[in-house]
C-alpha cells in the first residue's frame, strides 16, 4: 500500500515483448503486434523486444492495451477480440 504522501515518478515503463511470440511481420513492424493487421501499417509504439527493437500496433489496439491516451471518464470503453 502506498503512503498517502507518495507520488508517482515521471518514468514510463516500456512493455517488453517476447520476440518468439511475434511473427516475422510483427517483429519487422509490418504488422500490428496485437491483431496482426498489416494495412494501414501500424505506427503506434507499443513496446520493444529485449534486443531493443521497437514493436508497433494499430491505433485501436494501442488504445486497448493502454499505449494511447486514456479514455475520458464520462465515455464508455469497449473491448473487442
Amino acid at each position: 500500500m502506498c503512503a498517502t504522501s507518495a507520488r508517482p515518478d515521471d518514468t514510463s515503463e516500456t512493455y517488453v515483448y517476447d520476440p518468439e511470440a511475434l511473427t516475422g511481420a510483427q517483429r519487422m513492424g509490418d504488422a500490428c503486434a496485437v491483431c496482426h493487421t498489416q494495412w494501414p501499417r501500424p505506427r503506434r509504439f507499443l513496446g520493444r523486444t529485449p534486443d531493443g527493437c521497437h514493436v508497433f500496433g494499430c491505433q485501436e489496439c494501442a488504445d486497448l492495451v493502454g499505449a494511447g491516451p486514456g479514455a475520458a471518464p464520462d465515455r464508455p470503453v469497449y473491448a473487442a477480440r
Side-chain angles (χ1 to χ4, degrees), residues 7-77:
R7 295 187 310 203
D9 59 9
D10 291 331
T11 61
S12 63
E13 293 188 29
T14 301
Y15 187 79
V16 178
Y17 285 81
D18 177 10
E20 295 294 322
L22 301 173
T23 65
Q26 289 171 319
R27 286 191 299 270
M28 296 299 296
D30 292 331
C32 175
V34 178
C35 71
H36 302 271
T37 298
Q38 293 184 343
W39 186 258
R41 185 176 176 152
R43 300 191 184 273
R44 295 291 306 273
F45 175 75
L46 297 182
R48 61 177 179 78
T49 58
D51 62 358
C53 294
H54 290 188
V55 176
F56 296 96
C58 62
Q59 178 69 40
E60 294 81 14
C61 291
D63 291 342
L64 285 173
V65 299
D74 60 339
R75 192 170 151 215
V77 177

